[in-house]
Amino acid sequence: MNAAQKPFGWGDDVRDYIRTIPDFPKPGIQFRDVMPLFGHPRGLRAAVDRLVGPFAGARIQHVAGLEARGFIIGGACAHQLSAGFLAMRKQGKLPGPRIAQAYALEYGEAVLEAHDDAIEAGEQVLIVDDLLATGGTAEAAVKLVERLGGEVVGAAFVVDLPDLGGRARLERMGVTVHALCAYAGD
């Protein structure tokens, strides 16, 4: 029985629905594939409920989803919180006026962008993505929200890879981090 066929209960560990693909996208990487969790109706619902739970009552106006799997879970979280959705995209993917934030990758640099009118000053924003590794993309998202005048109330992830330092990086910025599960040693 695959993850999509398995019944999902509230006590289930989401790791049971996350597939590990060795040596992807390059040798030595253990890719944590959340798509089986997202493909399971009750699993997706449970993941969304568990991600937004710690932020209930925070009066969040927008959920910022990071490209690309963060769009899936972020959009669902925005719906659950009755909030708007803010797409944080890779450079060159958004039309119209936008602001950009460069960030370092292990093999170079990348740029994250948001529309320059996506939020209003003072709005509360929750950042959501599928996985937290080194934290570079999430840090760029925090900086974009702050440059737009918003306030980051937290960052929520399905998977945390704590050994790669992303959680510590965001917490040093004063961001509350919530993750549904962690994989040590990745």
Side-chain angles (χ1 to χ4, degrees):
M1 179 182 294
N2 68 35
Q5 297 168 321
K6 255 169 64 172
F8 192 99
W10 282 100
D12 286 353
D13 187 335
V14 296
R15 286 178 285 217
D16 294 341
Y17 300 86
I18 296 171
R19 177 176 39 204
T20 299
I21 301 172
D23 299 319
F24 183 82
K26 62 183 186 178
I29 302 291
Q30 297 292 316
F31 184 80
R32 306 303 180 175
D33 182 14
V34 297
M35 295 312 288
L37 175 67
F38 292 175
H40 191 290
R42 290 180 64 203
L44 176 61
R45 177 61 186 235
V48 169
D49 289 346
R50 292 174 186 180
L51 282 171
V52 302
F55 304 99
R59 297 166 68 175
I60 294 167
Q61 283 89 28
H62 283 87
V63 172
L66 311 185
E67 190 168 344
R69 287 172 298 277
F71 291 175
I72 297 166
I73 197 75
C77 287
H79 173 76
Q80 186 72 3
L81 292 167
S82 297
F85 180 75
L86 167 57
M88 297 273 183
R89 301 229 41 202
K90 295 174 184 170
Q91 187 172 33
K93 301 287 184 176
L94 288 173
R98 57 202 174 278
I99 63 169
Q101 181 67 50
Y103 62 99
L105 298 169
E106 62 182 291
Y107 52 85
E109 190 172 271
V111 176
L112 195 64
E113 295 183 333
H115 282 125
D116 67 359
D117 62 353
I119 61 173
E120 294 184 26
E123 287 189 320
Q124 307 286 300
V125 179
L126 174 64
I127 294 171
V128 174
D129 203 2
D130 68 317
L131 186 134
L132 176 60
T134 65
T137 308
E139 179 182 19
V142 169
K143 289 178 178 179
L144 281 174
V145 168
E146 290 173 346
R147 287 176 54 206
L148 289 167
E151 181 183 328
V152 176
V153 297
F157 304 90
V158 176
V159 176
D160 180 15
L161 304 178
D163 295 347
L164 297 180
R167 175 184 286 269
R169 183 178 192 167
L170 293 177
E171 288 174 343
R172 281 192 302 274
M173 296 177 74
V175 175
T176 299
V177 177
H178 171 62
L180 300 186
C181 68
Y183 290 90
D186 287 328

